[in-house]
Amino acid sequence: LITAGASSFLAITSSSFVSTRHLLYGAVVSQHLSHLSIFWKIGLSYLLTDQAFAVSNEYFKNNANNKFKHYHLVGSGFTLWFIWQFTTIIGILLGSIVPEELGLTFTIPLTFLALLVNYLRNIDHLIVIVLSGITSIIFFDAPFKSYIIISSIIALAGATILIKIRK
């Protein structure tokens, strides 16, 4: 955001707003891991990434009565952590060799897209995803690159309305 000309305030606000997803992850995971000690909870919070949440949450839902289900998050989180460290080292060593024309910047959005695929089966999720995408495009030229915040707020409002309609 800063390199695109946004102010420091907007960059900090946007990244903080986008990172609030971890509050939601924690709220969902805490339902399944409330029996654990604070030591376990702190350790697991370090390993709780978008990808680890996606796979572990499915496991938690399907194995609700398993008192050792937290080991799934340990395994997925540590595996992802290890791969992240390993590939970071590879990136440091080989990054200057990769031509800029390859455009490897698409890989991060591709990762998030891969996480969304499973949610496309639920119409409510699909509506919120499409709403977020469309509003991001509509508000792309908003001042200070604030389209991220605007589309997130609109998508959250849409999700809230859908939840109220369902109830």
Side-chain angles (χ1 to χ4, degrees):
L1 288 172
I2 290 174
T3 59
S7 68
S8 297
F9 174 75
L10 185 67
I12 291 168
T13 305
S14 296
S15 64
S16 298
F17 193 82
V18 170
S19 293
T20 58
R21 70 188 187 283
H22 291 286
L23 294 173
L24 298 174
Y25 294 167
V28 170
V29 169
S30 70
Q31 298 171 0
H32 301 286
L33 306 178
S34 60
H35 66 283
L36 296 177
S37 69
I38 190 71
F39 171 78
W40 269 106
K41 291 176 184 176
I42 291 171
L44 290 173
S45 69
Y46 177 74
L47 298 173
L48 188 60
T49 61
D50 300 314
Q51 296 82 0
F53 172 79
V55 297
S56 293
N57 188 44
E58 286 299 314
Y59 181 83
F60 292 164
K61 285 192 263 184
N62 295 330
N63 298 282
N65 296 326
N66 182 349
K67 67 178 183 173
F68 299 110
K69 63 185 169 228
H70 58 283
Y71 286 109
H72 188 277
L73 181 56
V74 171
S76 62
F78 181 74
T79 300
L80 290 163
W81 178 88
F82 178 78
I83 291 169
W84 183 275
Q85 302 307 317
F86 182 71
T87 55
T88 298
I89 291 168
I90 291 173
I92 291 169
L93 297 174
L94 302 178
S96 61
I97 298 171
V98 176
E100 189 67 33
E101 296 82 36
L102 286 181
L104 296 177
T105 56
F106 76 93
T107 56
I108 297 209
L110 188 61
T111 301
F112 283 101
L113 184 61
L115 293 174
L116 289 177
V117 168
N118 195 38
Y119 292 103
L120 296 176
R121 296 181 184 138
N122 184 314
I123 189 68
D124 292 347
H125 296 162
L126 184 60
I127 291 169
V128 173
I129 291 167
V130 169
L131 179 62
S132 177
I134 289 171
T135 55
S136 293
I137 293 167
I138 290 170
F139 293 104
F140 184 77
D141 291 324
F144 308 113
K145 303 287 183 188
S146 59
Y147 70 97
I148 295 171
I149 294 172
I150 295 168
S151 62
S152 298
I153 290 171
I154 292 171
L156 286 171
T160 303
I161 291 168
L162 285 171
I163 289 170
K164 290 189 181 209
I165 290 171
R166 289 277 186 197
K167 287 184 180 179

